[in-house]
Amino acid sequence: MSVIETITNSTQSLTPNEKRLVKAVMDRPADAALGTASDLAKATGVHEATASRLARKLGYASYAAFRDALRDEFIATRETATRFEKTIAETSSDTILGSLIQEEMQALGRMESYLSADQVNAVATRLMAARRIFVYGTGNAEILALLMLKRFRRFGKDVHKLDPDSRSLAEQAVGMREGDVVLTFVFRRAPKGYVPLIETARDAGATNIVISGITGTTLSPRPDLSLAAPRSGHPDAFQTLTVPMAICNAVVIAAGLTAKEESLQKLEKLGQLIERFE
């Protein structure tokens, strides 16, 4: 099990201060891998003993062992990515576009440190097997919700976009049943309806899937499946949708591959219907 998976599986048992440490590690795993427990504690404003306690809670004998695991996962196995990041970091640009491109390339280059092909395939398989798919995204995430709505409708799936309004959300959730899937987007913070939606879906026997920024690893209650990776930009400033958009596209492609012939037939039929309606 990777360090990220270990952290994700342990979030519900962590204290608020331990979750602060986890967020710092997830935001900058390479820095945590190269620093000490004291460095991490000072950076997050908690006591050094909290860092050591966190390591033990995650199943490591000491913080040093936890740090070694981080090094193995984010330093040794990312030599190529590290060289690439160093190269573009040394490339100067006086334009907004150039700086943005550099940040996006760095963020995309780090994605495989947080996500695996197996995780993407698991989400794609669950969506394609769903009786119905409910998509929930508010604010900027609404763009991604609409993307997934259209893509999976093209595969012939019964897909519904959930409204952010509390009353409308409750009305739409009434009919959720076993075999349904709820796909939720979460970024800086969970949307207002996150907790009741997750609980309602779980009570109905539906599957919860979350696509998120790195904060998604500390969500409570936890979804059944999640795809989380840090977005481009500073956590406290402007962040783009390039990384979650890439995750969505990977899921769509993987979904098409899970039932290749059927997907192609549905898309061919869609093309014929478009010609008819036009």
Side-chain angles (χ1 to χ4, degrees):
M1 186 181 294
S2 72
V3 177
I4 299 301
E5 289 173 326
T6 300
I7 290 174
T8 301
N9 291 337
S10 305
T11 51
Q12 288 186 315
S13 65
L14 302 181
T15 66
N17 280 344
E18 288 167 348
K19 288 182 179 181
R20 287 174 63 185
L21 288 173
V22 163
K23 186 177 185 304
V25 170
M26 301 292 276
D27 284 342
R28 294 180 176 81
D31 289 348
L34 296 172
T36 64
S38 178
D39 293 333
L40 179 63
K42 287 179 181 177
T44 52
V46 303
H47 196 278
E48 183 176 341
T50 306
S52 298
R53 186 170 60 249
L54 171 65
R56 291 193 296 273
K57 268 193 178 181
L58 296 177
Y60 298 94
S62 64
Y63 185 83
F66 174 55
R67 185 179 58 198
D68 288 343
L70 285 170
R71 285 176 178 171
D72 289 342
E73 189 162 329
F74 293 98
I75 303 297
T77 61
R78 293 182 65 243
E79 184 179 352
T80 300
T82 302
R83 288 200 303 267
F84 175 68
E85 290 175 7
K86 185 174 184 296
T87 299
I88 60 177
E90 292 174 351
T91 303
S92 61
S93 175
D94 295 327
T95 67
I96 295 175
L97 179 61
S99 297
L100 181 62
I101 290 172
Q102 289 179 9
E103 290 180 0
E104 299 291 4
M105 291 171 68
Q106 287 180 338
L108 290 168
R110 290 193 296 265
M111 280 179 62
E112 287 188 310
S113 295
Y114 295 87
L115 297 172
S116 68
D118 287 343
Q119 288 175 286
V120 172
N121 289 333
V123 167
T125 300
R126 194 66 66 93
L127 287 168
M128 289 298 281
R131 189 176 68 91
R132 292 179 301 175
I133 301 172
F134 295 91
V135 187
Y136 184 48
T138 61
N140 290 338
E142 189 172 3
I143 296 170
L144 300 174
L146 289 170
L147 166 72
M148 298 302 270
L149 178 83
K150 295 190 68 172
R151 293 296 188 188
F152 278 89
R153 276 184 178 170
R154 290 177 183 178
F155 287 143
K157 302 302 297 181
D158 185 4
V159 191
H160 305 267
K161 183 178 177 297
L162 294 173
D163 296 323
D165 173 71
S166 298
R167 183 175 293 274
S168 297
L169 186 58
E171 291 171 352
Q172 291 174 292
V174 166
M176 285 182 183
R177 298 201 299 274
E178 185 176 355
D180 293 340
V181 171
V182 178
L183 174 62
T184 303
F185 291 91
V186 177
F187 295 120
R188 291 187 185 278
R189 62 186 63 85
K192 181 181 178 181
Y194 174 78
V195 172
L197 180 60
I198 291 285
E199 292 175 344
T200 300
R202 187 160 291 162
D203 291 344
T207 298
N208 286 298
I209 298 174
V210 168
I211 294 177
S212 70
I214 204 61
T215 55
T217 58
T218 58
L219 286 172
S220 181
R222 286 181 53 209
D224 300 298
L225 296 170
S226 67
L227 298 174
R231 295 187 290 163
S232 172
H234 192 278
D236 296 324
F238 178 79
Q239 291 186 307
T240 72
L241 294 176
T242 301
V243 168
M245 180 73 77
I247 293 173
C248 288
N249 287 329
V251 169
V252 169
I253 294 170
L257 291 174
T258 61
K260 191 173 181 179
E261 291 186 9
E262 182 183 352
S263 298
L264 291 175
Q265 289 174 358
K266 291 287 176 59
L267 291 173
E268 184 178 350
K269 181 178 180 180
L270 172 63
Q272 295 170 351
L273 289 173
I274 289 174
E275 290 180 0
R276 175 183 293 177
F277 280 94
E278 288 182 342

